[in-house]
Amino acid sequence: MKIAVVGTGYVGLVTGTCFSSMGNDVWCVDVDEKKIENLKKGIIPIYEPGLTEMVLKNHEMGQLNFTTKIEEALKICDICFIAVGTPMGEDGSADLKYVLAVAESIGKHMEHHMYIIDKSTVPVGTANKVRTKVQEELDKRGSGLTFDVISNPEFLKEGTAVSDCMKPDRIVIGVDNEDAAEVMRELYKPYVMNTENFILMDIASAEMTKYAANSMLATKISFMNEISNICEKVGADVNKVRRGIGSDHRIGFSFIYPSCGYGGSCFPKDVQALIKTADEFGYKARILQSVEDVNHAQKKVVVEKIISRFGEDLSGRTFGVWGLAFKPDTDDMREAPAITIISELTKRGAKVQAYDPKAEEEAKTCYLKGNEAVSYCKSKYEALQEADAMILVTEWKEFRSPDFYEIKRLLKEPVIFDGRNQYSAKQVNKYGLDYYQIGVNAALVTEETKG
């Protein structure tokens, strides 16, 4: 099949590359000329495990093409995915200007029947807006060309996006006619051996499914963080509570790990967008608002523990931070807890020595740009030299089994603040390190390690 994918971010580039790997002819389109030229040279704009090799291979085979001219792609392709960004607006709603700009371009340049597929995360009703925009442009041309608008939300996880795309746990398709449904069956047949994973529904339900899925996962995270905060107050250990409730198969262990909050391009934006959508229809989404409020506060929990230990004025203090990305195996820092933690520390006079395997450039050029109190290190241990304490923010694999003797040797004070509960108190305290984690009262930790 011949497929155009407009947008070469996480979703668009991964989607286009994976479709080309199945033998389809794919044209990835982007208005960013430098990005397209770099892609043609094999320079990938994002870090995603396994993606670079697939892009290079399929581009070399001629199955994956890059262009800035959508008209070139539409002349050849019958299917066009819209995979551009939908950033959060000031009021929390999803900004559809890029999606609708693509729809306008399609209406201007399409030369035959098109299957237009919304891959971007968009609120309910977006397909109707896309349809209207395309039709407006066709009417201006006096054209009688026809088209279908289909909803096909993505469920890719940064860090495992390639495997998620190649081996999806489900394909959700929103259509309004059988012909469109059949095209999507053919397109996804190589990916879905079990037809139960190919889920057809109406367009509005498909659009809602994406928001509901991400909001549910965000809810689990904020719920567990709420429990962790209660545990600290009452003297319980959230790590034990997690094991106790996670063993119930109705709950499970996924997304119930206490932490310093969630971030990324999806959960914060999608929760806010669903709250806004509900509000537009006259409904107050109370649970979702609480999910957002808890997460916002949770990003400051580590800072509160640091203040409790060192005081409100952190002038003259230096902290070694392990991890900047919002999660491991990505360089994405959008809404990352590290941004809040580091900003809160430096505005109190502290200096930060940060290390992240992939996200340093993102921090320097965007999210922590201009913060002169932050320096960047080439290794995790370099970040701890002459620091007053270590702060673990992102659970990269290389942080799982560190040399605690070396950590103690490098730090001025033997203190670890763990924002991901990667270690155990007994594991850390036996090296003479003080250990602060999420959802466990420091007094409880001390008492247990004595035993």
Side-chain angles (χ1 to χ4, degrees), residues 21-40:
S21 71
M22 289 296 186
N24 298 291
D25 293 323
V26 177
W27 279 259
C28 286
V29 183
D30 203 293
V31 295
D32 188 331
E33 293 184 4
K34 184 177 180 181
K35 182 187 285 189
I36 290 299
E37 286 305 310
N38 283 339
L39 283 167
K40 288 178 179 179

Side-chain angles (χ1 to χ4, degrees), residues 250-447:
R250 296 170 300 174
I251 298 172
F253 287 101
S254 297
F255 292 88
I256 64 166
Y257 288 80
S259 69
C260 50
Y262 61 76
S265 63
C266 295
F267 289 3
K269 175 172 68 71
D270 293 354
V271 170
Q272 280 286 341
L274 190 51
I275 291 170
K276 181 62 177 177
T277 297
D279 184 62
E280 289 173 352
F281 283 85
Y283 181 78
K284 184 175 178 61
R286 292 180 292 274
I287 291 177
L288 294 181
Q289 188 58 60
S290 295
V291 168
E292 179 69 11
D293 292 344
V294 168
N295 189 61
H296 181 74
Q298 196 69 18
K299 291 181 179 181
K300 297 182 180 180
V301 166
V302 170
V303 177
E304 291 166 1
K305 291 178 181 291
I306 292 170
I307 292 171
S308 177
R309 171 74 184 234
F310 293 108
E312 183 72 32
D313 184 2
L314 298 176
S315 300
R317 298 285 185 181
T318 299
F319 296 96
V321 172
W322 284 10
L324 296 168
F326 86 94
K327 62 180 286 188
D329 295 319
T330 182
D331 60 355
D332 194 346
M333 280 190 66
R334 284 173 286 185
E335 303 289 335
I339 301 171
T340 299
I341 292 170
I342 290 173
S343 297
E344 290 291 326
L345 293 176
T346 56
K347 80 178 185 181
R348 289 174 170 82
K351 292 184 178 180
V352 168
Q353 298 171 172
Y355 168 72
D356 188 284
K358 296 295 179 181
E360 178 182 327
E361 196 61 27
E362 287 290 298
K364 284 181 177 178
T365 59
C366 186
Y367 297 100
L368 295 172
K369 183 179 180 180
N371 191 334
E372 296 181 357
V374 182
S375 60
Y376 299 92
C377 303
K378 297 303 180 185
S379 74
K380 58 182 182 285
Y381 295 120
E382 181 187 338
L384 303 184
Q385 290 181 4
E386 292 300 304
D388 291 279
M390 166 188 150
I391 308 169
L392 191 149
V393 182
T394 312
E395 63 276 34
W396 286 92
K397 287 181 180 177
E398 68 173 273
F399 301 158
R400 289 182 182 177
S401 299
D403 184 338
F404 289 108
Y405 282 123
E406 183 67 3
I407 291 173
K408 184 180 180 182
R409 187 185 71 81
L410 292 170
L411 292 173
K412 288 198 293 186
E413 296 191 33
V415 185
I416 294 177
F417 295 93
D418 187 350
R420 298 291 176 179
N421 288 17
Q422 284 291 285
Y423 315 125
S424 70
K426 287 186 177 181
Q427 177 186 19
V428 176
N429 291 153
K430 70 180 181 181
Y431 294 95
L433 289 154
D434 293 342
Y435 182 54
Y436 296 82
Q437 56 185 313
I438 304 293
V440 183
N441 188 286
L444 177 65
V445 170
T446 303
E447 190 64 30

Side-chain angles (χ1 to χ4, degrees), residues 149-153 172-176 199-204 206-207:
V149 179
I150 300 165
S151 177
N152 175 212
V172 173
I173 305 293
V175 293
D176 57 10
I199 307 170
L200 279 174
M201 59 184 72
D202 61 274
I203 293 173
E207 291 173 331

